[in-house]
Amino acid sequence: ATLSPETLGTRTYDLFRTLGLRHLVIVARPEYLHYLLEQRLKEEDYRGNERIENSPDDIQTVRTQPFSSKKAFVFPIYSQPLFPNVIARTTPLRASTANINEVINLIFNQTKWKEVPDVKTNPSEKEEERHVCSITIVMNGNYVHQFRRLKEQGETHIVLSLSRSKQRAMDLEDLFSIGVLAEVGKIYTHSGKEVCVELIITHRVAIGKQLKKFAINDTSYFKANITLVQDRPMEGAPGDLTDLSEQLEFLWGTSPLYMKQKALFQYRIEKRHFSELADISVQLSLATPAHLKQRVLEEADVSARLKTAIEILKEETQFWKLRGKIGRQPKRPQAADKGKKVEDIAERIKNIKLPEHAMKVVNEEMNKLQNLDPTVNASEYYVCKNYLEWIVSLPWGIESKDELHVGHTEDVLNEDHFGLEDVKLRIAEFIAVASLKGTLNGKILCLVGPPGVGKTSIGKSIAHATKRQFYRFSVGGLSDVAEIKGHRRTYVGALPGRFIQCLKTVGTSNPIILLDEIDKLSKAYDGDPASALLEALDPEQNSAFLDHYLDLPFDLSKVLFVCTANSLDTIPKPLLDRMEVIRLHGYFLEEKLEIAKRHLIPGLLKENGLSPAQVEVTDEILRKLIGNYSREAGVRSLKRNLDKVFRKVAYKVAKGEKELILVDENSLENFIGKPKFHSDRLYDETPPGVVTGLAWNSVGGALIWIETVTLSSNNKTSKLEITGKLGDVMKESTSIALSFSKNFLRKISPENSFFGKSTFAHALSGGCNSQGWTLCRMCHCDILFVFGFGSTCHSKSCHDRRNFPDRNCFAGGWNSGKINGGKKIRN
């Protein structure tokens, strides 16, 4: 974990840094993320930024009870062995990003810890005084809890042994045969849970036969026969005691771990406790791997053990010398760094072809960069350096070669899309003109249509056909002008706009840039992104597009811009005027059927891990899936429903079903539920006062049912009431229809009293925000005429005509959206 004042806070960072330098922590399970537990529970305290502790000359003393049993519980440890005359404070505390604050507060507020009362089993026996050093070992919480239970049951001693591997020990053979005997000392709890258990290491032990195995959740421990290992004392003083003293003198001045135990080392040397001296020297070593420490633990000969300990101290000395050398090594001078970076930028400038106006600015900035001192003017230096790096990374004059072949374009479009013949023809014409001119620039295409009809994928197909780089970014909800024009260089974290970033990414100056959802541009109080796009999309201006960050004209005229939108209503008129609109009205049922068979089903089978030999979907089922579940203009809903079907099939295959699964009408309902849509036809025979209209909008075609009834009027004048989610255009159309019908009916039937009554009209389909609603005038005229004469409209007829008060009636514009809407009235 990276510890810094920013991540932990200044005070906590200082505490962790101090603890990390002054305490040794043995991590028993390396896969956990551990933080340091304060070592001395009573001798150290933290108040603000002050640190209060006892003198390092103090020697910690404890009293232990003798052990005479031949059996003990054996627990594994996984990082390093422990040595006699050590207090190992075991704790289950481990921190993650979710509970780091809780653990930190628990560690540094030990006054809230409660000590469990110590019940001694043999208080009359003689106790032995030991001089010890303290370390902290983080162990599994199950073990720490078991230490407390064993002590409460009278088992005051346990055995700890190093595991032969990092894997969980399953049997006693997975542990080394030599371990240590530990007396369970003080136990501390917080909120009823153990936070620290002191283990006082007393003797080496040889582990014998396993008597029983115990399991707690995912951990294991054992009961086994043990034998105390007696040291073989050395004869006389060691000959290299002077060498030992020299190593310790160096470590006392460099290693905080050895420095804190200086008094204990001096006491051992003075009393000639060479066995304990060797143990503590190896225990505190950071440079010694676990297997070498285990060899020292297994060595019963004190002379050989001390000799090995001296060698380990030499390695530890080298470790701390190297650490100090690295800490004191000066960094490479800033001037050298600056010179190298300036040379790199200058070399890159030589390898690009900059326009004259850009070269002039670059030379000025290079002179400025060379005169800036990064140690004095750091902010201005890095602003200047980043600006030059952006300039040299842009594709000045680098273009990809276009493939302007009409036949190849048609092949690519037919391969990637089914249907949309008028759209493909328009794009092929566009490529044909470009092939004759020899260039593809100068046009901004705007693909408009309902969601899921393939607008974005058509943009990718154009890039594929022309062999140009493709870059897409969505402008839906974009409200910051800086996303288009970039930030001023004076701002912190300034960046160029998205167009300049795009050119750096693709590495060419003539990519195809797809501006997705351009009809959903937002507007902020401090700027209008739609207005900022005018410069980029205008063929007369984008040859000198000025980004605020670069502050240099950059030629965007070679970029082919392709925009997508669901509706033209929300696109600002000045922006729309610069685009060539290509409409995608959606797919017929037959086209959706072919798209599903050619594109959707093969891809979904692969995504769900299936093969055609495992599932079969017939054309009839696809028709039901399209007509009853997926009526939108595009194919996204159809793809989702097919994906749901194949997930159900994959579930059956994964459970062992090997036969071909045929998706029929019954299984279709089991897979995706009851049909969501039925026929939109409301009447077998349309009654007087009811007529059907057609409309289309950004999500496809729709039917409009309009019902009218007459109301008795006490007044001689008739009234017209209209309900439904109707806009101003609809209300206007209805009023025009009523006026026209009254005038016409009086001429052909003066005696008819129908228009002396009040009329109530209701649009069942609610409102439809499209130009199709202007066609409602003719629908209302037909209603009023047939109602006045008591006749009916044809039950399967739909209206798509536009009438005006001067009796002229023109045909409406037919498209696939209205055709799809008309098909909904079929049986």
Side-chain angles (χ1 to χ4, degrees), residues 173-432:
E173 287 76 12
D174 296 334
L175 307 180
F176 284 99
S177 58
I178 300 296
V180 291
L181 183 68
E183 178 183 332
V184 182
K186 296 179 181 180
I187 301 173
Y188 297 90
T189 63
H190 184 270
S191 300
K193 296 182 179 180
E194 298 82 6
V195 292
C196 182
V197 176
E198 291 185 355
L199 299 179
I200 307 171
I201 314 300
T202 58
H203 298 86
R204 287 173 168 80
V205 294
I207 303 172
K209 181 181 179 182
Q210 176 178 324
L211 301 177
K212 193 173 182 180
K213 176 182 176 181
F214 302 89
I216 312 174
N217 296 332
D218 61 340
T219 57
S220 302
Y221 67 100
F222 317 93
K223 191 169 186 179
N225 294 327
I226 63 169
T227 304
L228 297 181
V229 176
Q230 301 297 328
D231 291 339
R232 293 198 298 271
M234 62 185 302
E235 298 178 358
D240 46 5
L241 189 58
T242 303
D243 195 6
L244 173 65
S245 300
E246 291 177 356
Q247 305 299 329
L248 288 175
E249 285 289 346
F250 174 81
L251 291 173
W252 289 338
T254 56
S255 170
L257 302 177
Y258 286 84
M259 178 179 62
K260 192 169 185 179
Q261 305 298 336
K262 179 178 179 180
L264 183 59
F265 277 106
Q266 292 174 338
Y267 175 80
R268 298 295 187 196
I269 295 174
E270 180 183 350
K271 298 295 184 181
R272 295 184 175 270
H273 294 167
F274 298 118
S275 174
E276 293 83 351
L277 183 62
D279 289 344
I280 187 176
S281 299
V282 177
Q283 181 73 88
L284 296 178
S285 173
L286 296 179
T288 307
H291 68 277
L292 292 181
K293 290 187 176 183
Q294 179 65 29
R295 284 172 51 187
V296 176
L297 181 67
E298 295 175 355
E299 181 60 65
D301 187 278
V302 176
S303 179
R305 189 191 308 165
L306 184 59
K307 185 176 180 179
T308 305
I310 292 174
E311 295 299 322
I312 288 177
L313 285 177
K314 291 181 180 180
E315 293 292 334
E316 189 74 9
T317 300
Q318 294 299 321
F319 169 79
W320 285 100
K321 285 182 178 179
L322 180 60
R323 176 167 178 162
K325 182 179 179 181
I326 294 174
R328 293 189 304 269
Q329 185 176 7
K331 296 183 179 180
R332 190 168 54 180
Q334 293 279 358
D337 287 343
K338 172 192 170 183
K340 187 176 184 303
K341 292 175 182 178
V342 171
E343 290 175 3
D344 292 342
I345 295 175
E347 186 65 27
R348 294 171 65 183
I349 292 174
K350 293 178 182 178
N351 296 330
I352 60 177
K353 297 179 180 179
L354 287 173
E356 183 179 352
H357 65 276
M359 196 65 190
K360 180 179 179 181
V361 174
V362 167
N363 290 334
E364 293 176 356
E365 293 293 327
M366 280 295 297
N367 293 333
K368 179 180 177 181
L369 182 66
Q370 291 172 348
N371 295 326
L372 286 174
D373 186 354
T375 61
V376 179
N377 309 101
S379 177
E380 190 173 0
Y381 170 80
Y382 286 106
V383 168
C384 184
K385 181 181 72 70
N386 293 338
Y387 175 70
L388 287 171
E389 287 179 345
W390 267 104
I391 290 181
V392 299
S393 63
L394 293 178
W396 299 91
I398 301 176
E399 301 178 15
S400 58
K401 185 178 180 181
D402 292 333
E403 293 284 342
L404 303 177
H405 302 294
V406 178
H408 176 66
T409 302
E410 291 179 337
D411 293 341
V412 171
L413 291 173
N414 290 329
E415 180 183 355
D416 296 344
H417 300 83
F418 184 83
L420 305 176
E421 299 301 331
D422 53 342
V423 178
K424 294 178 185 177
L425 178 60
R426 179 64 193 89
I427 295 174
E429 293 171 353
F430 177 71
I431 298 297

Side-chain angles (χ1 to χ4, degrees), residues 461-482:
S461 298
I462 297 174
H464 181 202
T466 58
K467 304 298 183 183
R468 284 196 175 192
Q469 295 293 323
F470 180 78
Y471 186 89
R472 170 196 172 273
F473 72 91
S474 176
V475 295
L478 187 68
S479 61
D480 189 3
V481 175

Side-chain angles (χ1 to χ4, degrees), residues 444-448 518-519 521 530 533-534 537 563 565 567-583:
I444 293 92
L445 302 181
C446 182
L447 305 176
V448 183
I518 199 169
D519 58 327
L521 275 172
L533 281 174
L534 293 177
L537 299 185
C563 307
S567 174
L568 298 178
D569 299 337
T570 55
I571 301 178
K573 296 302 180 182
L575 188 60
L576 184 62
D577 184 56
R578 288 161 171 79
M579 303 177 184
E580 184 166 347
V581 177
I582 300 177
R583 293 188 178 274

